[in-house]
Amino acid sequence: MKHFTSVKDIGNIKQALERAKYVKENPFADQDLGRNKTLLMIFFNSSLRTRLSTQKAALNLGMNVIVLDINQGAWKLETERGVIMDGDKPEHILEAIPVMGSYCDTIGVRAFAQFESKEDDYNEVIINQFIRYSGKPVFSMEAATLHPLQSYADLITIEEFKKTERPKVVLTWAPHPRALPQAVPNSFAEWMNATDYEFVITHPEGYELDDKFVGNAIVEYDKEKAYKDADFIYAKNWSAYRDPNYGKILSTDRAWTVDAQKMALTNNAHFMHCLPVRRNMIVTDDVIESAQSIVIQEAANRVVSAQSVIKELLKGI
Ligand code: CP
């Protein structure tokens, strides 16, 4: 594996799941692979799970880890070429990236959608600059449009908890007070479309995702119909994708909050969310605290997905 930014980089999905199973059962088996190698983790945005799970994954592989929060202690970076740099940004990303690349063997980058330009967000300008200018294998720790380490962990979790070969998995929009990117639902859809699961997306009208990520999913606007007989309910908020509303909140309707009444329509479904989650906006206390909630197991599998990916990147160095 050269870089990891989407499901397309993982190869055969069944083999990716087998590799993850091996990593989970043998977390310290590959320490020689990472010895004297350094992972640099670059955060343009906040994180709890990605920060901790990716560090843990690298430590399991015997690596050294450096973490840089761009907005806390680093120079502010200019990202546009051609700008006269007479403002508050003293360093250009085109120097900063190769310098960062010179200090490490692989780089993880977190850079969310900025909602200033849909074109820049959907062209993944930041992470693609790291790929182009760092000279090192780069992996996404959530980029503008995709969060593949999360989706890989989601898939591993579904495989661990599924009771039928081809479960019904439902991605449901849920309300949130702030405008959030489409990265998690886009990515989840990509990974679910790489399986043979029955995959349904439900959301209010106006929250349609990019067709290229929706793929073969069934889009069902009637949420009660979507929940019926589901084996997994995966909740997430996202802002509008389509113009002229890109990045806007169109609804905070709490009829879409995942609650016991809607969960009762399912096939005793497991509840999933990538976290952090706003209780009683996205999901009620009783659902997230129920025996069917697997959010903690899902988060724990972030170590497994990160370790599986970093291991493949190290093998390619
Ligand atoms: N799910 C996830 O990526 O969590 P963090 O934003 O805390 O890293």
Side-chain angles (χ1 to χ4, degrees):
M1 193 186 290
K2 214 169 158 198
H3 302 287
F4 177 74
T5 60
S6 90
V7 73
K8 295 183 186 78
D9 298 312
I10 204 76
N12 179 288
I13 206 90
K14 283 204 163 68
Q15 287 171 8
L17 285 165
E18 280 162 20
R19 289 199 299 270
K21 191 166 185 291
Y22 178 84
V23 160
K24 189 159 184 171
E25 288 167 1
N26 305 277
F28 308 115
D30 298 294
Q31 293 227 324
D32 283 344
L33 206 53
R35 201 173 313 284
N36 297 327
K37 296 278 193 307
T38 299
L39 165 65
L40 174 58
M41 298 167 65
I42 306 288
F43 288 93
F44 287 84
N45 309 95
S46 304
S47 167
L48 186 152
R49 277 142 291 275
T50 305
R51 180 183 298 265
L52 297 179
S53 62
T54 311
Q55 282 192 62
K56 173 68 176 143
L59 295 173
N60 285 355
L61 287 165
M63 300 183 80
N64 303 310
V65 182
I66 307 172
V67 182
L68 179 65
D69 289 287
I70 291 289
N71 298 321
Q72 288 172 21
W75 302 114
K76 270 194 178 175
L77 295 180
E78 177 57 61
T79 55
E80 297 287 323
R81 203 168 161 276
V83 167
I84 297 168
M85 288 173 58
D86 60 355
D88 65 341
K89 294 173 180 166
E91 175 144 31
H92 203 285
I93 199 163
L94 294 181
E95 283 78 57
I97 290 175
V99 168
M100 292 189 260
S102 74
Y103 300 149
C104 65
D105 300 284
T106 181
I107 307 184
V109 180
R110 166 162 284 202
F112 291 174
Q114 296 178 61
F115 294 145
E116 284 165 14
S117 157
K118 181 177 178 180
E119 196 184 341
D120 281 358
D121 289 343
Y122 271 71
N123 283 331
E124 292 287 7
V125 167
I126 302 283
I127 197 159
N128 281 332
Q129 283 181 321
F130 274 88
I131 288 172
R132 191 160 171 201
Y133 298 113
S134 72
K136 296 290 154 69
V138 172
F139 64 94
S140 168
M141 298 194 301
E142 186 170 347
T145 65
L146 293 170
H147 192 0
L149 284 181
Q150 179 65 52
S151 312
Y152 192 4
D154 296 336
L155 177 60
I156 293 164
T157 311
I158 292 171
E159 283 292 304
E160 287 173 348
F161 282 88
K162 74 179 188 184
K163 292 189 195 76
T164 58
E165 199 45 45
R166 202 171 160 263
K168 178 177 176 182
V169 178
V170 178
L171 166 62
T172 179
W173 179 93
H176 194 281
R178 299 182 61 184
L180 298 185
Q182 297 96 31
V184 170
N186 283 346
S187 192
F188 187 70
E190 261 202 341
W191 285 71
M192 290 302 103
N193 280 321
T195 70
D196 60 359
Y197 301 164
E198 182 183 349
F199 178 45
V200 178
I201 305 176
T202 186
H203 55 71
E205 290 197 29
Y207 279 100
E208 292 77 13
L209 295 165
D210 187 341
D211 289 340
K212 79 175 178 199
F213 299 122
V214 172
N216 296 325
I218 298 160
V219 177
E220 174 56 71
Y221 293 103
D222 181 336
K223 55 187 175 320
E224 279 77 18
K225 209 167 152 190
Y227 271 66
K228 196 164 174 354
D229 298 328
D231 297 298
F232 293 88
I233 296 293
Y234 191 101
K236 186 71 184 83
N237 172 267
W238 62 89
S239 59
Y241 163 72
R242 288 194 176 163
D243 294 326
N245 294 317
Y246 177 65
K248 293 205 173 104
I249 295 175
L250 306 179
S251 167
T252 51
D253 183 359
R254 283 197 281 124
W256 284 82
T257 301
V258 180
D259 58 15
Q261 208 177 348
K262 286 196 283 300
M263 289 300 280
L265 301 170
T266 70
N267 181 27
N268 199 25
H270 287 293
F271 172 76
M272 299 180 73
H273 187 281
C274 62
L275 305 180
V277 69
R278 292 194 182 232
R279 284 179 175 222
N280 304 308
M281 286 293 294
I282 300 279
V283 58
T284 56
D285 289 318
D286 54 345
V287 170
I288 196 166
E289 290 169 6
S290 74
Q292 290 308 100
S293 170
I294 52 173
V295 294
I296 306 302
Q297 296 91 330
E298 182 184 357
N301 276 333
R302 289 293 304 276
V303 177
V304 183
S305 64
Q307 191 168 335
S308 303
V309 165
I310 298 168
K311 181 178 163 182
E312 293 308 302
L313 292 173
L314 287 173
K315 284 203 272 184
I317 290 174

